[in-house]
Amino acid sequence: AQSVTQPDIHITVSEGASLELRCNYSYGATPYLFWYVQSPGQGLQLLLKYFSGDTLVQGIKGFEAEFKRSQSSFNLRKPSVHWSDAAEYFCAALWGGYNKLIFGAGTRLAVHP
Amino acid sequence: DAGVIQSPRHEVTEMGQEVTLRCKPISGHNSLFWYRQTMMRGLELLIYFNNNVPIDDSGMPEDRFSAKMPNASFSTLKIQPSEPRDSAVYFCASSRSEAFFGQGTRLTVV
């Protein structure tokens, strides 16, 4: 069955440090891949998406993600984290033909000043 | 476009009452998803529709839950009868390629 795994439940980084959040998907076919961010009490906002083509995709708020087929991964990165980036981040995958959007468990990011 | 619109934003109800959550997707989107979010279980897909047709409702926890999409611009999620363990935030999302989420309905069943 299709699944999305985010191995890190909580991550804490210092402001200005670099960030990488991990995401892996299972199931043979390559899905469409997404990263969403959720601030407390809010809905989910799309950061970036990968459908095909260039495996390094740029998103909003200075985030980028790299798709690696060999590792079934789609890790989210940011070179310098800001305090306002503290939130919960969700990786999601959608397999064509099923149109079923599956989310990982989320990674809660805390940013120290 | 105003985005995905959910109502109500907050709902407090007594155990045993019927609860109806509403969603208006973005115009032109052909898929609609209902999710439930709790601290314990995270974000769970309850059901999704393609072109108004329910495709997969395997995430619906019990027969007490039902969802409809009578037309492309409206969907409901109904819980009857409601129980305290149904307390959660319920999100609706619609998509054509990427999904856009509503602000959610925070349901509290006392």
mmCIF file of all heavy atoms in Angstrom, chain A residues 32-64:
data_model
loop_
_atom_site.group_PDB
_atom_site.id
_atom_site.type_symbol
_atom_site.label_atom_id
_atom_site.label_comp_id
_atom_site.label_asym_id
_atom_site.label_seq_id
_atom_site.Cartn_x
_atom_site.Cartn_y
_atom_site.Cartn_z
ATOM 1 N N TYR A 32 3.382 12.076 -7.450
ATOM 2 C CA TYR A 32 3.575 13.514 -7.313
ATOM 3 C C TYR A 32 3.895 13.743 -5.835
ATOM 4 O O TYR A 32 3.327 13.099 -4.957
ATOM 5 C CB TYR A 32 2.307 14.284 -7.689
ATOM 6 C CG TYR A 32 1.892 14.173 -9.128
ATOM 7 C CD1 TYR A 32 0.626 14.579 -9.529
ATOM 8 C CD2 TYR A 32 2.750 13.685 -10.098
ATOM 9 C CE1 TYR A 32 0.220 14.490 -10.848
ATOM 10 C CE2 TYR A 32 2.351 13.592 -11.425
ATOM 11 C CZ TYR A 32 1.094 13.993 -11.792
ATOM 12 O OH TYR A 32 0.700 13.914 -13.097
ATOM 13 N N LEU A 33 4.796 14.669 -5.564
ATOM 14 C CA LEU A 33 5.268 14.872 -4.198
ATOM 15 C C LEU A 33 5.087 16.326 -3.774
ATOM 16 O O LEU A 33 5.256 17.246 -4.588
ATOM 17 C CB LEU A 33 6.741 14.467 -4.095
ATOM 18 C CG LEU A 33 6.984 12.970 -4.302
ATOM 19 C CD1 LEU A 33 8.426 12.709 -4.688
ATOM 20 C CD2 LEU A 33 6.611 12.186 -3.038
ATOM 21 N N PHE A 34 4.780 16.501 -2.499
ATOM 22 C CA PHE A 34 4.454 17.831 -1.986
ATOM 23 C C PHE A 34 5.031 17.998 -0.585
ATOM 24 O O PHE A 34 5.183 17.035 0.160
ATOM 25 C CB PHE A 34 2.930 18.021 -1.895
ATOM 26 C CG PHE A 34 2.171 17.680 -3.141
ATOM 27 C CD1 PHE A 34 1.746 16.375 -3.363
ATOM 28 C CD2 PHE A 34 1.870 18.638 -4.070
ATOM 29 C CE1 PHE A 34 1.034 16.037 -4.516
ATOM 30 C CE2 PHE A 34 1.158 18.318 -5.226
ATOM 31 C CZ PHE A 34 0.745 17.009 -5.444
ATOM 32 N N TRP A 35 5.300 19.247 -0.254
ATOM 33 C CA TRP A 35 5.557 19.628 1.132
ATOM 34 C C TRP A 35 4.570 20.739 1.506
ATOM 35 O O TRP A 35 4.398 21.702 0.746
ATOM 36 C CB TRP A 35 6.985 20.137 1.317
ATOM 37 C CG TRP A 35 7.985 19.061 1.550
ATOM 38 C CD1 TRP A 35 8.838 18.494 0.640
ATOM 39 C CD2 TRP A 35 8.268 18.412 2.796
ATOM 40 N NE1 TRP A 35 9.612 17.542 1.234
ATOM 41 C CE2 TRP A 35 9.291 17.465 2.553
ATOM 42 C CE3 TRP A 35 7.762 18.536 4.103
ATOM 43 C CZ2 TRP A 35 9.823 16.651 3.555
ATOM 44 C CZ3 TRP A 35 8.291 17.732 5.090
ATOM 45 C CH2 TRP A 35 9.298 16.799 4.812
ATOM 46 N N TYR A 36 3.971 20.538 2.681
ATOM 47 C CA TYR A 36 3.054 21.527 3.230
ATOM 48 C C TYR A 36 3.576 21.986 4.592
ATOM 49 O O TYR A 36 4.266 21.244 5.287
ATOM 50 C CB TYR A 36 1.668 20.919 3.439
ATOM 51 C CG TYR A 36 0.874 20.671 2.175
ATOM 52 C CD1 TYR A 36 1.062 19.526 1.422
ATOM 53 C CD2 TYR A 36 -0.079 21.590 1.747
ATOM 54 C CE1 TYR A 36 0.326 19.296 0.260
ATOM 55 C CE2 TYR A 36 -0.831 21.374 0.595
ATOM 56 C CZ TYR A 36 -0.616 20.230 -0.134
ATOM 57 O OH TYR A 36 -1.363 20.011 -1.278
ATOM 58 N N VAL A 37 3.170 23.189 4.975
ATOM 59 C CA VAL A 37 3.507 23.702 6.292
ATOM 60 C C VAL A 37 2.210 24.089 6.998
ATOM 61 O O VAL A 37 1.268 24.586 6.369
ATOM 62 C CB VAL A 37 4.470 24.909 6.212
ATOM 63 C CG1 VAL A 37 3.853 26.071 5.438
ATOM 64 C CG2 VAL A 37 4.882 25.365 7.602
ATOM 65 N N GLN A 38 2.180 23.814 8.295
ATOM 66 C CA GLN A 38 1.003 24.157 9.098
ATOM 67 C C GLN A 38 1.436 24.919 10.342
ATOM 68 O O GLN A 38 2.166 24.381 11.178
ATOM 69 C CB GLN A 38 0.232 22.899 9.499
ATOM 70 C CG GLN A 38 -1.064 23.208 10.242
ATOM 71 C CD GLN A 38 -1.811 21.945 10.650
ATOM 72 O OE1 GLN A 38 -1.198 20.912 10.929
ATOM 73 N NE2 GLN A 38 -3.137 22.007 10.666
ATOM 74 N N SER A 39 0.988 26.132 10.461
ATOM 75 C CA SER A 39 1.199 26.908 11.676
ATOM 76 C C SER A 39 0.063 26.604 12.644
ATOM 77 O O SER A 39 -1.019 26.185 12.217
ATOM 78 C CB SER A 39 1.246 28.404 11.355
ATOM 79 O OG SER A 39 2.331 28.681 10.500
ATOM 80 N N PRO A 40 0.283 26.800 13.944
ATOM 81 C CA PRO A 40 -0.734 26.462 14.938
ATOM 82 C C PRO A 40 -2.082 27.100 14.632
ATOM 83 O O PRO A 40 -2.177 28.295 14.345
ATOM 84 C CB PRO A 40 -0.138 27.010 16.238
ATOM 85 C CG PRO A 40 1.331 26.973 16.018
ATOM 86 C CD PRO A 40 1.526 27.293 14.562
ATOM 87 N N GLY A 41 -3.133 26.281 14.663
ATOM 88 C CA GLY A 41 -4.485 26.773 14.444
ATOM 89 C C GLY A 41 -4.816 27.102 13.005
ATOM 90 O O GLY A 41 -5.885 27.654 12.729
ATOM 91 N N GLN A 42 -3.907 26.756 12.110
ATOM 92 C CA GLN A 42 -4.125 27.096 10.704
ATOM 93 C C GLN A 42 -4.292 25.845 9.845
ATOM 94 O O GLN A 42 -4.021 24.729 10.293
ATOM 95 C CB GLN A 42 -2.931 27.906 10.175
ATOM 96 C CG GLN A 42 -2.690 29.201 10.905
ATOM 97 C CD GLN A 42 -3.846 30.167 10.761
ATOM 98 O OE1 GLN A 42 -4.344 30.406 9.652
ATOM 99 N NE2 GLN A 42 -4.299 30.718 11.869
ATOM 100 N N GLY A 43 -4.709 26.073 8.608
ATOM 101 C CA GLY A 43 -4.746 24.981 7.659
ATOM 102 C C GLY A 43 -3.359 24.719 7.099
ATOM 103 O O GLY A 43 -2.363 25.271 7.565
ATOM 104 N N LEU A 44 -3.283 23.868 6.119
ATOM 105 C CA LEU A 44 -2.005 23.508 5.519
ATOM 106 C C LEU A 44 -1.748 24.368 4.286
ATOM 107 O O LEU A 44 -2.633 24.540 3.444
ATOM 108 C CB LEU A 44 -1.995 22.029 5.115
ATOM 109 C CG LEU A 44 -1.705 21.029 6.224
ATOM 110 C CD1 LEU A 44 -2.895 20.874 7.160
ATOM 111 C CD2 LEU A 44 -1.318 19.682 5.637
ATOM 112 N N GLN A 45 -0.533 24.868 4.198
ATOM 113 C CA GLN A 45 -0.144 25.700 3.068
ATOM 114 C C GLN A 45 0.893 24.971 2.237
ATOM 115 O O GLN A 45 1.871 24.435 2.780
ATOM 116 C CB GLN A 45 0.436 27.032 3.569
ATOM 117 C CG GLN A 45 0.834 27.984 2.461
ATOM 118 C CD GLN A 45 1.497 29.243 2.977
ATOM 119 O OE1 GLN A 45 1.985 29.301 4.114
ATOM 120 N NE2 GLN A 45 1.523 30.269 2.160
ATOM 121 N N LEU A 46 0.712 24.970 0.942
ATOM 122 C CA LEU A 46 1.642 24.287 0.047
ATOM 123 C C LEU A 46 2.941 25.074 -0.055
ATOM 124 O O LEU A 46 2.939 26.261 -0.363
ATOM 125 C CB LEU A 46 1.021 24.138 -1.337
ATOM 126 C CG LEU A 46 1.856 23.431 -2.394
ATOM 127 C CD1 LEU A 46 2.045 21.953 -2.034
ATOM 128 C CD2 LEU A 46 1.198 23.554 -3.771
ATOM 129 N N LEU A 47 4.060 24.390 0.213
ATOM 130 C CA LEU A 47 5.381 24.999 0.079
ATOM 131 C C LEU A 47 5.959 24.789 -1.318
ATOM 132 O O LEU A 47 6.527 25.707 -1.910
ATOM 133 C CB LEU A 47 6.354 24.389 1.093
ATOM 134 C CG LEU A 47 6.249 24.835 2.542
ATOM 135 C CD1 LEU A 47 7.229 24.021 3.390
ATOM 136 C CD2 LEU A 47 6.512 26.311 2.693
ATOM 137 N N LEU A 48 5.861 23.555 -1.789
ATOM 138 C CA LEU A 48 6.410 23.226 -3.105
ATOM 139 C C LEU A 48 5.894 21.871 -3.546
ATOM 140 O O LEU A 48 5.300 21.135 -2.755
ATOM 141 C CB LEU A 48 7.947 23.237 -3.081
ATOM 142 C CG LEU A 48 8.658 22.530 -1.941
ATOM 143 C CD1 LEU A 48 8.653 21.031 -2.102
ATOM 144 C CD2 LEU A 48 10.101 23.016 -1.821
ATOM 145 N N LYS A 49 6.134 21.578 -4.823
ATOM 146 C CA LYS A 49 5.642 20.320 -5.386
ATOM 147 C C LYS A 49 6.615 19.817 -6.441
ATOM 148 O O LYS A 49 7.366 20.591 -7.049
ATOM 149 C CB LYS A 49 4.262 20.521 -6.009
ATOM 150 C CG LYS A 49 4.230 21.542 -7.156
ATOM 151 C CD LYS A 49 2.824 21.750 -7.660
ATOM 152 C CE LYS A 49 2.786 22.687 -8.869
ATOM 153 N NZ LYS A 49 2.767 24.079 -8.479
ATOM 154 N N TYR A 50 6.601 18.510 -6.637
ATOM 155 C CA TYR A 50 7.375 17.876 -7.704
ATOM 156 C C TYR A 50 6.434 16.988 -8.505
ATOM 157 O O TYR A 50 5.794 16.081 -7.950
ATOM 158 C CB TYR A 50 8.520 17.051 -7.130
ATOM 159 C CG TYR A 50 9.203 16.228 -8.191
ATOM 160 C CD1 TYR A 50 10.089 16.822 -9.079
ATOM 161 C CD2 TYR A 50 8.936 14.874 -8.325
ATOM 162 C CE1 TYR A 50 10.710 16.083 -10.073
ATOM 163 C CE2 TYR A 50 9.552 14.121 -9.308
ATOM 164 C CZ TYR A 50 10.423 14.729 -10.188
ATOM 165 O OH TYR A 50 11.020 13.991 -11.169
ATOM 166 N N PHE A 51 6.407 17.234 -9.815
ATOM 167 C CA PHE A 51 5.629 16.365 -10.696
ATOM 168 C C PHE A 51 6.559 15.567 -11.598
ATOM 169 O O PHE A 51 6.417 14.364 -11.746
ATOM 170 C CB PHE A 51 4.671 17.200 -11.548
ATOM 171 C CG PHE A 51 3.522 17.805 -10.766
ATOM 172 C CD1 PHE A 51 2.722 18.784 -11.333
ATOM 173 C CD2 PHE A 51 3.241 17.410 -9.474
ATOM 174 C CE1 PHE A 51 1.668 19.342 -10.614
ATOM 175 C CE2 PHE A 51 2.197 17.970 -8.738
ATOM 176 C CZ PHE A 51 1.406 18.942 -9.320
ATOM 177 N N SER A 52 7.507 16.236 -12.228
ATOM 178 C CA SER A 52 8.461 15.584 -13.117
ATOM 179 C C SER A 52 9.523 16.615 -13.459
ATOM 180 O O SER A 52 9.448 17.778 -13.057
ATOM 181 C CB SER A 52 7.781 15.071 -14.394
ATOM 182 O OG SER A 52 7.279 16.156 -15.151
ATOM 183 N N GLY A 53 10.559 16.166 -14.215
ATOM 184 C CA GLY A 53 11.569 17.103 -14.684
ATOM 185 C C GLY A 53 12.667 17.324 -13.668
ATOM 186 O O GLY A 53 13.110 16.384 -12.990
ATOM 187 N N ASP A 54 13.094 18.549 -13.549
ATOM 188 C CA ASP A 54 14.190 18.901 -12.653
ATOM 189 C C ASP A 54 13.917 18.389 -11.249
ATOM 190 O O ASP A 54 12.879 18.676 -10.660
ATOM 191 C CB ASP A 54 14.373 20.423 -12.637
ATOM 192 C CG ASP A 54 15.669 20.857 -11.985
ATOM 193 O OD1 ASP A 54 16.308 20.007 -11.310
ATOM 194 O OD2 ASP A 54 16.041 22.030 -12.126
ATOM 195 N N THR A 55 14.873 17.639 -10.711
ATOM 196 C CA THR A 55 14.643 16.986 -9.422
ATOM 197 C C THR A 55 14.830 17.919 -8.239
ATOM 198 O O THR A 55 14.516 17.557 -7.113
ATOM 199 C CB THR A 55 15.582 15.786 -9.263
ATOM 200 O OG1 THR A 55 16.930 16.228 -9.427
ATOM 201 C CG2 THR A 55 15.263 14.715 -10.301
ATOM 202 N N LEU A 56 15.355 19.100 -8.474
ATOM 203 C CA LEU A 56 15.479 20.104 -7.418
ATOM 204 C C LEU A 56 14.405 21.164 -7.670
ATOM 205 O O LEU A 56 14.429 21.850 -8.689
ATOM 206 C CB LEU A 56 16.874 20.724 -7.429
ATOM 207 C CG LEU A 56 17.180 21.708 -6.297
ATOM 208 C CD1 LEU A 56 17.143 20.985 -4.952
ATOM 209 C CD2 LEU A 56 18.549 22.353 -6.512
ATOM 210 N N VAL A 57 13.489 21.273 -6.731
ATOM 211 C CA VAL A 57 12.387 22.209 -6.915
ATOM 212 C C VAL A 57 12.451 23.309 -5.863
ATOM 213 O O VAL A 57 12.814 23.067 -4.713
ATOM 214 C CB VAL A 57 11.022 21.497 -6.862
ATOM 215 C CG1 VAL A 57 10.879 20.560 -8.038
ATOM 216 C CG2 VAL A 57 10.828 20.729 -5.577
ATOM 217 N N GLN A 58 12.114 24.493 -6.305
ATOM 218 C CA GLN A 58 12.101 25.643 -5.415
ATOM 219 C C GLN A 58 10.673 25.936 -4.981
ATOM 220 O O GLN A 58 9.729 25.762 -5.751
ATOM 221 C CB GLN A 58 12.677 26.863 -6.131
ATOM 222 C CG GLN A 58 14.093 26.668 -6.668
ATOM 223 C CD GLN A 58 15.092 26.420 -5.556
ATOM 224 O OE1 GLN A 58 15.036 27.047 -4.499
ATOM 225 N NE2 GLN A 58 16.013 25.474 -5.778
ATOM 226 N N GLY A 59 10.549 26.367 -3.743
ATOM 227 C CA GLY A 59 9.230 26.693 -3.240
ATOM 228 C C GLY A 59 9.184 28.079 -2.649
ATOM 229 O O GLY A 59 10.080 28.887 -2.845
ATOM 230 N N ILE A 60 8.143 28.304 -1.887
ATOM 231 C CA ILE A 60 7.987 29.608 -1.255
ATOM 232 C C ILE A 60 8.796 29.659 0.033
ATOM 233 O O ILE A 60 9.272 28.618 0.534
ATOM 234 C CB ILE A 60 6.495 29.907 -0.951
ATOM 235 C CG1 ILE A 60 5.912 28.875 0.025
ATOM 236 C CG2 ILE A 60 5.690 29.954 -2.235
ATOM 237 C CD1 ILE A 60 4.522 29.213 0.514
ATOM 238 N N LYS A 61 8.992 30.861 0.544
ATOM 239 C CA LYS A 61 9.659 31.083 1.831
ATOM 240 C C LYS A 61 11.096 30.579 1.851
ATOM 241 O O LYS A 61 11.631 30.275 2.918
ATOM 242 C CB LYS A 61 8.873 30.442 2.978
ATOM 243 C CG LYS A 61 7.429 30.894 3.062
ATOM 244 C CD LYS A 61 6.741 30.331 4.292
ATOM 245 C CE LYS A 61 5.294 30.816 4.350
ATOM 246 N NZ LYS A 61 4.616 30.438 5.591
ATOM 247 N N GLY A 62 11.718 30.463 0.689
ATOM 248 C CA GLY A 62 13.123 30.070 0.628
ATOM 249 C C GLY A 62 13.375 28.577 0.746
ATOM 250 O O GLY A 62 14.522 28.152 0.887
ATOM 251 N N PHE A 63 12.343 27.767 0.702
ATOM 252 C CA PHE A 63 12.500 26.321 0.798
ATOM 253 C C PHE A 63 12.771 25.705 -0.569
ATOM 254 O O PHE A 63 12.334 26.221 -1.594
ATOM 255 C CB PHE A 63 11.236 25.686 1.394
ATOM 256 C CG PHE A 63 11.105 25.881 2.880
ATOM 257 C CD1 PHE A 63 10.404 26.968 3.381
ATOM 258 C CD2 PHE A 63 11.679 24.986 3.773
ATOM 259 C CE1 PHE A 63 10.277 27.168 4.749
ATOM 260 C CE2 PHE A 63 11.557 25.175 5.141
ATOM 261 C CZ PHE A 63 10.860 26.268 5.634
ATOM 262 N N GLU A 64 13.469 24.582 -0.541
ATOM 263 C CA GLU A 64 13.671 23.780 -1.726
ATOM 264 C C GLU A 64 13.593 22.315 -1.331
ATOM 265 O O GLU A 64 13.700 21.970 -0.142
ATOM 266 C CB GLU A 64 15.020 24.067 -2.395
ATOM 267 C CG GLU A 64 16.211 23.666 -1.570
ATOM 268 C CD GLU A 64 17.535 23.920 -2.294
ATOM 269 O OE1 GLU A 64 17.587 24.818 -3.161
ATOM 270 O OE2 GLU A 64 18.510 23.221 -1.980
#
